Amino acid sequence: MLRLLNRRIGVLQGRLIASVLLLALLSGGVLAWACSQLTVQLVAREAVRLDYLSADMQSRLSGLVGGDPARLASELGTLRRLGQLVYAEVRDEGGRVLVADGGPAALGSPHADLQAALDAGRGRYEMRIELLQPGRRSPVGVLRASADLSGLETSLELLRGGAAGLAVLVLVLHALLMRWVLGGVLDGVSAIENRAVALRRAEDVAPLPVRGDDALARLTRAFNQMVQALDERVTALRKSESRFHAIADFTFGVEAWFSPQGRLIWVNRSIERVTGYTPLDCLLAEDLSSMLIHEKDRRIFAARASDALAGASGENFEVRLLHREGTVVWVALNWQPIYDEGGICLGVRVSADDIQSRKEAELKLLDTVTALRREQGLRDYYLTRSEEERSRLEALLDLINLGVLFVDRDGRAQHANRMLKSIWGFAADENLSGMRDAVLIDRTASMRADEEGYREQVKKVLACRTPTEPQDIPLRDGRIIREQSALVPSASPGRFLGRVWIYEDVTAERRAAEALVNMAERDPLTNLYNRRRFHEELERMIAEAGRRKTQLGLLMFDLDGFKPVNDLFGHQAGDEVLVRLARDVGAIIRRNEMFFRLGGDEFAVLAPDTDEQALTGLARRVGDKVAGMVFEFNGRSTQVTTSTGIGIYPLHAHSGETLLTAADSAMYAAKNGGKNAFRMYERKHGT
């Protein structure tokens, strides 16, 4: 379409028209936008005025309903004139007209807003205002009024008309200015173009007048010289053309005559039907092969042309011709040398038959067959590869010790391996494909210890688009299942095929880890915390007490009479004493206190947030509990007692090491004082 317009009106004129239209569009768009903004402002201002008027009338008339009608009528008339209303009336709650002012009384249905009234096109804005009085829920009356919109509508019409007129004025001025600036150039170019068209039609062309020595004048002078040269050549060609015109000019196929030197002498008019080039275009072409022959066929065409000029005949040589519009036309060439009566070669006669339709059908069929074969091969190849990959993947997934579940975008299971079925109690031969994820969760709900928490976690996972962190799921049978999931991306960016869920039974791993922790922190005989854990908790609790400004108490005690038990009854009896003491004393230790075996028969208790009275009470309870235990070994009864030392942070020490030293010193003071007693640390002079 653009090429046709360029041929009809010329490139320069086309650009001129395009610039005018572009300016018209831009200016019209700007003016339309400005007009719409002004319209919105005018309508909004009038709407605000009417809203204020409605509020004023409601407040001033509500109190007058049911009172003096004359005063109500006076107030209504004043408000109608101030508000520039056409008509207004007040009705009571029964619908009877109390007062009315203005006219004529032609009230319509109330409008929703001012814009709705303007869209109705009646020139009036119908209002309905309920009159309310304080203390009453229902209205005491209704005010009906009609506002004249003719002034506003007239202003809006003037605004739109002015904008349209201004747009037209800008368009006309721009067109006139462009015509005045480019008029001379366009006229000169148009004259050359018109004569060129006439020349192509073999019409007589008069030379153009040359004025000045600018680029247009030089172009005109060169054109006149070309016209003169063409006239001379056309005159000579017409004499030759007349000899063949009667025979072949109206043949449907293309007929051409080439000289022995390979130059085109004559071609019939069918060349224009096939290629779009006129016979004159072909005769005047400097390089006919480059103009008509497709670049991919030029080399073989040149070889066949050489054979033809050497005297060889040929037929059904298929070649692609270039159409003037840029398309390709397939033709079949046949050629034969031409000799005169004396045997002298006059040239080569070439016939060209249009085979475009047949060639297109052949090429289309060939492309279709090739595409089908390629697609079939690719499909078979990828199908085989897909089946192989699927088999390898299923074998791999069934061998690993991880449960794997693939779920598609619709929440349906696509694959579940052997370990997943084993972890969640499904039969090994049960087919889970196609089952919704919600059904899988419901079927395994009875196995989870915290089903509500698990479902909340699943909601968070499904809302997340990134791989999730591993989450441990405790089961009712004591197992712990670790769950992790991630979206499976598709080949299209931003899209996903579904989600993969990975499950691992970490029960043994967790139990082994807990056992290692217990071995590192617990005494193997009494299961109390050991010395290593004691030092860790001592430093931690001191730091906590220092931060909270509270006291930390430390009780250290060892057993009086424990060595004779070992000596008389053996170490097994001593172990029994230690185990029972750990159990019974541990029963009276409070939840926030920690009980430790430091080694041998030495024990310690850490009591946070305490004072001297609480610590002495604790020491007394521990001493009484131990002293009250009776042990039977080999038919003989025996007992042990405790010597306990008490230290308080920060009253007696300011670090864990000094607190330990203070409690140890107090313990030995109790032992030296007669045993079976407890002592509070006493700071000596200089310590």
Side-chain angles (χ1 to χ4, degrees):
M1 185 63 182
L2 181 59
R3 185 177 299 165
L4 178 61
L5 288 175
N6 287 337
R7 289 206 308 268
R8 296 295 300 273
I9 65 176
V11 176
L12 291 178
Q13 293 183 9
R15 291 180 178 177
L16 173 61
I17 294 174
S19 66
V20 173
L21 293 177
L22 180 59
L23 179 62
L25 290 174
L26 292 176
S27 60
V30 172
L31 290 173
W33 177 82
C35 181
S36 65
Q37 294 298 312
L38 290 175
T39 300
V40 170
Q41 293 296 326
L42 289 175
V43 173
R45 182 176 296 177
E46 182 66 13
V48 170
R49 186 187 73 82
L50 292 175
D51 289 342
Y52 280 127
L53 177 62
S54 299
D56 190 29
M57 296 175 71
Q58 201 278 339
S59 63
R60 295 174 64 177
L61 296 178
S62 297
L64 300 179
V65 176
D68 185 3
R71 183 180 176 188
L72 178 61
S74 174
E75 189 70 21
L76 179 64
T78 301
L79 291 174
R80 185 191 68 79
R81 289 187 296 274
L82 291 176
Q84 300 176 3
L85 301 177
V86 178
Y87 176 76
E89 66 179 25
V90 176
R91 296 175 180 263
D92 60 11
E93 56 187 346
R96 297 186 302 274
V97 177
L98 299 179
V99 293
D101 191 76
L107 292 173
S109 300
H111 293 104
D113 53 28
L114 182 58
Q115 187 61 50
L118 291 172
D119 294 340
R122 294 174 51 194
R124 303 178 71 176
Y125 175 38
E126 308 295 347
M127 298 183 291
R128 184 180 187 277
I129 306 170
E130 293 183 347
L131 301 178
L132 303 172
Q133 288 183 354
R136 294 194 56 175
R137 296 183 178 179
S138 60
V140 298
V142 176
L143 170 64
R144 294 289 306 278
S146 178
D148 186 9
L149 299 181
S150 59
L152 178 59
E153 291 179 341
T154 301
S155 300
L156 296 178
E157 290 297 329
L158 289 175
L159 179 60
R160 297 188 187 100
L166 183 57
V168 172
L169 179 60
V170 171
L171 176 63
V172 172
L173 289 177
H174 180 70
L176 292 176
L177 180 61
M178 294 297 292
R179 178 60 185 172
W180 176 71
V181 172
L182 299 176
V185 176
L186 292 175
D187 291 342
V189 174
S190 297
I192 294 176
E193 182 182 8
N194 293 333
R195 281 166 173 75
V197 173
L199 186 63
R200 189 172 65 180
R201 295 174 180 172
E203 299 176 358
D204 293 333
V205 176
L208 290 171
V210 180
R211 300 182 182 89
D213 193 28
D214 55 6
L216 182 60
R218 292 192 295 273
L219 176 63
T220 305
R221 189 178 296 110
F223 179 76
N224 289 337
Q225 294 173 356
M226 182 187 70
V227 170
Q228 183 179 359
L230 287 176
D231 285 340
E232 295 174 356
R233 296 188 63 180
V234 168
T235 301
L237 290 173
R238 282 176 178 173
K239 294 178 181 179
S240 177
E241 182 181 7
S242 61
R243 293 176 295 178
F244 309 100
H245 179 73
I247 300 175
D249 204 25
F250 295 98
T251 304
F252 183 78
V254 177
E255 296 290 338
W257 187 353
F258 289 87
S259 70
Q261 292 76 32
R263 186 169 184 82
L264 180 64
I265 299 175
W266 171 85
V267 64
N268 68 347
R269 294 181 181 178
S270 295
I271 191 66
E272 186 171 6
R273 176 183 57 80
V274 176
T275 66
Y277 293 101
T278 65
L280 184 59
D281 292 333
C282 298
L283 293 170
L284 297 179
E286 293 294 334
D287 188 354
L288 185 62
S289 176
S290 299
M291 184 177 78
L292 290 181
I293 306 301
H294 194 278
E295 60 180 353
K296 294 184 178 180
D297 296 337
R298 287 173 190 168
R299 178 177 298 178
I300 188 171
F301 175 79
R304 295 296 179 92
S306 298
D307 296 340
L309 294 174
S313 300
E315 60 183 11
N316 293 331
F317 170 57
E318 296 181 356
V319 67
R320 285 167 286 189
L321 299 184
L322 296 174
H323 195 276
R324 189 168 199 152
E325 298 294 337
T327 58
V328 174
V329 180
W330 280 92
V331 296
L333 298 182
N334 300 279
W335 63 89
Q336 180 68 40
I338 302 175
Y339 300 94
D340 63 6
E341 296 177 354
I344 299 175
C345 182
L346 300 178
V348 179
R349 175 190 175 187
V350 178
S351 301
D353 296 326
D354 188 350
I355 60 171
Q356 179 66 24
S357 299
R358 176 174 64 82
K359 203 66 177 179
E360 287 179 354
E362 291 177 356
L363 293 176
K364 186 175 182 179
L365 179 60
L366 181 60
D367 291 342
T368 302
V369 172
T370 303
L372 288 175
R373 289 177 178 174
R374 185 187 304 111
E375 184 176 348
Q376 179 68 28
L378 287 175
R379 187 181 64 179
D380 294 342
Y381 172 76
Y382 287 120
L383 180 60
T384 303
R385 289 289 302 276
S386 177
E387 292 296 334
E388 292 175 353
E389 289 296 331
R390 181 180 180 88
S391 298
R392 284 194 289 266
L393 179 61
E394 289 181 353
L396 174 64
L397 293 179
D398 283 340
L399 286 176
I400 63 177
N401 289 325
L402 297 175
V404 180
L405 174 66
F406 288 101
V407 180
D408 61 16
R409 290 194 302 267
D410 298 328
R412 295 187 180 276
Q414 294 297 311
H415 179 78
N417 70 341
R418 176 189 56 80
M419 182 55 67
L420 179 120
K421 297 177 183 178
S422 175
I423 289 176
W424 291 109
F426 294 104
D429 58 349
E430 183 174 359
N431 185 13
L432 303 181
S433 297
M435 188 178 296
R436 299 195 66 87
D437 52 2
V439 176
L440 293 173
I441 293 176
D442 291 340
R443 288 187 58 180
T444 57
S446 60
M447 302 176 64
R448 287 181 286 271
D450 183 11
E451 179 63 15
E452 183 177 354
Y454 176 73
R455 290 181 180 267
E456 289 296 326
Q457 179 62 30
V458 169
K459 291 181 181 179
K460 295 179 181 179
V461 170
L462 294 178
C464 181
R465 298 176 69 89
T466 57
T468 62
E469 296 294 329
Q471 299 290 334
D472 288 345
I473 307 171
L475 302 186
R476 296 182 184 274
D477 59 5
R479 290 184 298 154
I480 298 176
I481 306 301
R482 182 166 295 166
E483 176 188 86
Q484 191 172 6
S485 75
L487 289 173
V488 180
S490 69
S492 301
R495 295 180 61 83
F496 297 92
L497 298 177
R499 183 178 289 273
V500 59
W501 299 81
I502 306 296
Y503 300 92
E504 181 182 7
D505 189 340
V506 295
T507 306
E509 176 185 336
R510 291 289 295 274
R511 289 175 179 173
E514 291 174 358
L516 290 175
V517 171
N518 285 334
M519 291 175 61
E521 297 183 346
R522 297 257 181 195
D523 174 49
L525 177 64
T526 62
N527 200 35
L528 296 177
Y529 289 120
N530 58 18
R531 181 179 291 274
R532 175 177 174 274
R533 181 65 181 271
F534 168 75
H535 286 288
E536 292 178 357
E537 293 297 329
L538 177 62
E539 296 299 327
R540 184 186 67 81
M541 289 186 178
I542 284 181
E544 181 72 15
R547 184 168 57 255
R548 296 176 54 193
K549 306 300 182 183
T550 58
Q551 295 187 134
L552 173 66
L554 171 61
L555 270 69
M556 290 187 63
F557 64 90
D558 64 2
L559 301 182
D560 306 324
F562 180 72
K563 188 175 183 304
V565 172
N566 276 332
D567 294 341
L568 293 175
F569 305 109
H571 290 287
Q572 185 175 0
D575 291 345
E576 183 178 341
V577 171
L578 295 176
V579 170
R580 182 178 171 188
L581 181 144
R583 184 184 67 247
D584 293 353
V585 174
I588 63 174
I589 299 298
R590 294 187 177 92
R591 183 170 298 178
N592 66 326
E593 300 169 345
M594 298 188 71
F595 190 19
F596 304 88
R597 181 190 178 194
L598 302 184
D601 62 339
E602 187 176 7
F603 296 85
V605 178
L606 285 174
D609 197 10
T610 186
D611 54 23
E612 292 187 18
Q613 182 178 358
L615 288 172
T616 55
L618 175 61
R620 184 176 291 107
R621 290 196 303 274
V622 171
D624 293 344
K625 172 60 73 174
V626 175
M629 292 189 299
V630 179
F631 302 95
E632 294 284 340
F633 300 113
N634 298 329
R636 296 173 59 185
S637 298
T638 184
Q639 290 179 285
V640 294
T641 57
T642 61
S643 296
T644 304
I646 304 174
I648 302 176
Y649 168 87
L651 184 62
H652 303 143
H654 293 85
S655 66
E657 184 178 353
T658 55
L659 181 62
L660 183 61
T661 301
D664 188 65
S665 175
M667 180 183 70
Y668 279 102
K671 188 176 290 290
N672 294 331
K675 302 181 180 180
N676 194 20
F678 62 87
R679 293 286 186 274
M680 185 72 66
Y681 174 73
E682 295 181 0
R683 188 185 299 272
K684 299 179 180 179
H685 181 70
T687 62

